[in-house]
Amino acid sequence: MKDKVVIITGGSSGIGKALAEEFGMNGSKILITGRNIIDLNEAVERLRKKGITVTGFQADVSREEDNRAMAAEAIRTYGRIDILINNAGITMRALFEEVELAVVKKVMDINFYGVLYATKFCLPEIIKNKGSVIGISSIAGYRGLPGRTGYSASKFALNGFLEVLRTEMLKKDVHVLTACPGFTTSNIRKRSLTKDGLLQGDSPRDENEMMTAAVCATHIYRATVKRKKIIILTAQGKLAVFLNKWFPVFMDKIVFNEMAKEPGSPLK
Ligand code: NAP
């Protein structure tokens, strides 16, 4: 990965920030994005202190033009793009019968359309360099989670998009990785949208019990080096994907009960 140019959308927090450190410490040149400029600048400063070559670029993945500008910025700064990590994402927590449709749309705009836009503008360079397109999906892209319609739908859509892209790129030597973390310590649940589109503000799960973002990033880094196609992370995540494949109806009850246990769960 030395001297490879890696774009990481949403690199100012959680898994994206850990990916920037992992690739950066292995000699890659990094461009990270995010909407909040203060968080972005802080992340850039922290990475630079570790000796990593990194640029921050303020961009919202759900805006087509921002993605065009992001790809142009990477080429202007580093002269090429080798790897795009589609990491930026948000979640929501509400029953579908109660949620405002604008909340579901916002999640889709970021988690799904954001990936489409970023990939569209980076792909010509990635094809030229026989590089990688990586999507940070989720176990929720294999097994729908109650109370997370928008999130699960966005990750199912993402998995479909990546599967097709992987197949289209078969003869072009472009590597496409669908990375599915399980529960990982980050800010995503604190920033989760409620049924009215407000910020949840607190995580309903014990963030200390989860895989750390650093360990998650190491798995994704190794999968990129080995040009793996799909990775499913955490023992719980692997079990959920396996059981859902063979016993989907039985899994409805298991998943309902697991998610209903969360403090403040909308499931009744
Ligand atoms: P996080 O700590 O909340 O970080 C999300 C990052 O994405 C932040 O840098 C955020 O910065 C950025 N972002 C959000 N919306 C954006 C937008 N519209 N444009 C550009 N950047 C945006 O969350 P995380 O858990 O690390 O999530 C990273 C990815 O992992 C997501 O795709 C998520 O679905 C996936 N994932 C997470 C878990 C988990 O348990 N943590 C499990 C499975 C999959 P700004 O807010 O400043 O824009």
Side-chain angles (χ1 to χ4, degrees):
M1 291 296 136
K2 187 154 166 38
D3 291 331
K4 298 280 184 210
V5 174
V6 182
I7 296 181
I8 304 167
T9 65
S12 56
S13 172
I15 297 170
K17 192 155 84 171
L19 282 165
E21 183 166 340
E22 181 75 39
F23 278 82
M25 292 307 279
N26 281 286
S28 302
K29 296 172 182 165
I30 312 290
L31 184 144
I32 58 172
T33 73
R35 295 164 301 176
N36 183 316
I37 193 72
I38 297 169
D39 291 351
L40 190 65
N41 287 341
E42 263 176 29
V44 166
E45 207 176 305
R46 210 179 61 96
L47 292 163
R48 282 197 182 140
K49 278 195 184 135
K50 291 179 186 276
I52 292 168
T53 305
V54 59
T55 300
F57 186 71
Q58 189 178 24
D60 180 339
V61 277
S62 67
R63 293 159 54 126
E64 192 179 324
E65 275 319 299
D66 284 17
N67 290 281
R68 191 195 298 274
M70 173 191 77
E73 178 70 9
I75 294 167
R76 197 185 64 77
T77 310
Y78 299 125
R80 58 189 282 141
I81 303 168
D82 295 285
I83 298 173
L84 168 66
I85 307 186
N86 288 296
N87 166 79
I90 62 165
T91 190
M92 42 88 53
R93 188 176 182 237
L95 291 183
F96 181 68
E97 63 191 278
E98 293 173 355
V99 73
E100 282 181 20
L101 287 175
V103 172
V104 177
K105 186 163 183 313
K106 183 166 185 178
V107 175
M108 286 298 290
D109 280 345
I110 295 174
N111 294 10
F112 177 62
Y113 287 102
V115 175
L116 251 57
Y117 301 146
T119 305
K120 186 78 179 167
F121 295 118
C122 293
L123 197 56
E125 270 291 306
I126 293 174
I127 291 174
K128 200 165 77 190
N129 299 322
K130 301 190 189 307
S132 300
V133 175
I134 298 168
I136 309 301
S137 183
S138 171
I139 304 302
Y142 280 94
R143 165 70 227 187
L145 294 183
R148 318 274 211 272
T149 37
Y151 186 71
S152 291
S154 72
K155 297 300 186 181
F156 269 76
L158 175 58
N159 286 3
F161 168 68
L162 292 170
E163 188 171 280
V164 174
L165 189 68
R166 190 176 80 218
T167 313
E168 287 187 5
M169 291 295 124
L170 203 59
K171 302 283 165 82
K172 296 198 170 143
D173 260 354
V174 169
H175 164 233
V176 179
L177 167 65
T178 306
C180 299
F183 287 118
T184 307
T185 312
S186 79
N187 287 312
I188 195 163
R189 280 158 292 272
K190 288 178 209 150
R191 295 172 179 173
S192 176
L193 301 180
T194 63
K195 63 181 166 61
D196 311 311
L198 301 172
L199 288 184
Q200 187 164 254
D202 208 0
S203 173
R205 306 187 77 91
D206 185 351
E207 297 286 328
N208 297 319
E209 290 285 295
M210 299 175 187
M211 178 178 273
T212 65
V215 169
C216 178
T218 303
H219 282 291
I220 295 167
Y221 175 78
R222 287 189 190 142
T224 309
V225 172
K226 291 183 182 158
R227 291 173 88 87
K228 284 195 175 171
K229 311 288 189 260
I230 300 171
I231 52 163
I232 311 276
L233 296 178
T234 76
Q236 186 192 36
K238 288 183 172 99
L239 186 65
V241 171
F242 173 80
L243 288 176
N244 198 59
K245 183 169 176 173
W246 301 107
F247 312 105
V249 178
F250 162 75
M251 277 296 277
D252 289 354
K253 284 187 199 137
I254 302 280
V255 173
F256 185 100
N257 291 338
E258 170 64 23
M259 300 309 280
K261 275 195 297 197
E262 284 184 345
S265 171
L267 297 170
K268 295 146 199 153

